Amino acid sequence: MSHVAVMGAGSWGTTFAMVLADAGVPVRLWGRRRELVDAIAELRMNPEYVPGVVLPETVQATADPEQAMAGADLVVLAIPSQVLRATLAGWAQHLPATATVLSLAKGIELGTLMRMSEVIEDVAGVAPERIAVLSGPNLSPEIAKRRPAGAVVASVAADTAQAVAARCVTSYFRAETSADVIGVELGGATKNVVAVSVGMAEGLGLSDNTRASLITRGLAETVRLGVAMGAHPETFQGLSGVGDLIATCSSPLSRNHTFGVQLGQGRSIQEIVAATQQTAEGVRSSESILALAQRHDVDMPLVESVVAVVADGHHPALIAGALMARELKAEKA
């Protein structure tokens, strides 16, 4: 059986490598830092990102991207969205010519406003029929404990989506398929921004009513942008839409929600990053999503407010103001 290359040994990359191995697929897990790769090989676990979770013997770790991808029929990219282009450009020449490429990243690239599938096609010249994306309520600490979870694999080619979904079937993980790549990617990216706003509201001490209102309005904004970009509205009713949104906005395991909570409590972005060594994807992608909305002439006041806080230094209380300043009118998406 051909192996799968998982490129990226962070929490989600390592966890997804475990899922594939549990599904009976040999995996080569690539990590950027040699010391982390050596620790994974020696301890059979990722002590930095997924401590305490023993990886199956069929997961082999390497710091050599060429070795990881050689002979793979599926290459999984578990690289943060804003560094995917530069990272992929460094070893795109090693991608097997016929391999399917699966993106786990959830974001919109700054500057180009490209979705991750578009970045892969642009940088590596991979045909859209060979590209798939995976999204859904994927809180990696829960999946690492092998707790039941679902996801969506999307591709413009139905057989590609089905083949990828079939590779990651376990007793605790299932993936549905979709042809709506735009909707699945946009839902995964925008929910991170909404989760930052919900976290800020929680950090400010606002109520569950506020949380519910923000989630609802955030979903409406996402649907409006998605439809303007050609996505199917029903996609946002599924796992990669409202399912992912609820999990990311509600769970303390969500990096975006937690980052927002700390912003609401008065900590600066610099302080949070210094303490956690991580920046939430919703913070990174908020400006690009707002620019995408402006390109398509879509009103996204909630996203606009997040950008005002994280990019322009406004007080997080602006989130509540954006919610309450809406024009009085009949409710609609």
Side-chain angles (χ1 to χ4, degrees):
M1 176 187 294
S2 297
H3 75 278
V4 173
V6 176
M7 311 301 289
S11 56
W12 187 209
T14 302
T15 299
F16 195 70
M18 181 200 77
V19 171
L20 290 165
D22 284 349
V25 179
V27 178
R28 291 181 191 164
L29 175 63
W30 172 80
R32 178 176 52 86
R33 291 182 288 121
R34 169 68 68 178
E35 62 272 20
L36 178 60
V37 168
D38 289 344
I40 293 172
E42 179 181 352
L43 302 173
R44 300 305 311 157
M45 69 175 65
N46 186 327
E48 186 169 332
Y49 291 102
V50 197
V53 176
V54 178
L55 297 173
E57 291 294 332
T58 49
V59 176
Q60 298 179 353
T62 177
D64 183 344
E66 184 176 8
Q67 181 185 38
M69 290 185 284
D73 62 350
L74 174 61
V75 176
V76 180
L77 303 179
I79 308 293
S81 63
Q82 302 306 330
V83 297
L84 176 61
R85 177 179 294 274
T87 305
L88 183 56
W91 35 254
Q93 70 273 21
H94 302 309
L95 277 171
T98 60
T100 297
V101 179
L102 173 66
S103 171
L104 303 185
K106 299 178 179 180
I108 303 296
E109 187 177 43
L110 284 165
T112 68
L113 306 187
M114 286 182 175
R115 294 173 284 108
M116 297 301 98
S117 61
E118 295 176 311
V119 173
I120 294 167
E121 183 180 358
D122 184 47
V123 175
V126 180
E129 294 77 14
R130 288 174 43 218
I131 299 173
V133 299
L134 184 144
S135 192
N138 305 139
L139 297 169
S140 60
E142 289 188 357
I143 298 175
K145 294 178 181 178
R146 295 177 171 87
R147 293 174 179 168
V152 177
V153 174
S155 175
V156 297
D159 56 347
T160 296
Q162 291 163 2
V164 171
R167 301 293 289 276
C168 53
V169 175
T170 72
S171 61
Y172 59 90
F173 192 87
R174 289 290 190 279
E176 299 176 357
T177 60
S178 171
D180 187 7
V181 177
I182 296 174
V184 169
E185 287 193 289
L186 191 63
T190 307
K191 59 91 184 180
N192 286 327
V193 183
V194 180
V196 173
S197 76
V198 171
M200 284 193 282
E202 184 175 319
L204 289 164
L206 300 180
S207 67
D208 289 339
N209 290 328
T210 306
R211 178 205 301 266
S213 297
L214 289 171
I215 292 174
T216 304
R217 298 322 312 168
L219 177 61
E221 292 187 14
T222 303
V223 173
R224 287 201 298 270
L225 178 58
V227 170
M229 293 175 60
H232 303 301
E234 58 269 23
T235 298
F236 302 104
Q237 299 173 17
L239 285 170
S240 63
V242 68
D244 201 4
L245 182 65
I246 291 171
T248 308
C249 290
S250 305
S251 175
L253 297 176
S254 163
R255 186 182 307 166
N256 292 280
H257 174 264
T258 302
F259 203 101
V261 169
Q262 295 185 68
L263 285 172
Q265 292 172 340
R267 303 183 71 184
S268 69
I269 290 178
Q270 293 74 21
E271 289 172 334
I272 301 171
V273 171
T276 64
Q277 300 301 308
Q278 294 177 329
T279 299
E281 193 68 75
V283 172
R284 293 172 182 253
S285 293
S286 59
E287 291 182 80
S288 54
I289 291 173
L290 179 59
L292 201 58
Q294 292 168 341
R295 173 186 288 180
H296 291 275
D297 196 25
V298 173
D299 184 30
M300 299 186 77
L302 191 57
V303 173
E304 188 174 353
S305 298
V306 172
V307 171
V309 173
V310 303
D312 302 330
H314 289 271
H315 193 277
L318 189 65
I319 294 298
L323 182 65
M324 301 311 297
R326 289 177 55 85
E327 177 186 355
L328 294 176
K329 57 184 179 180
E331 183 184 43
K332 63 178 182 178

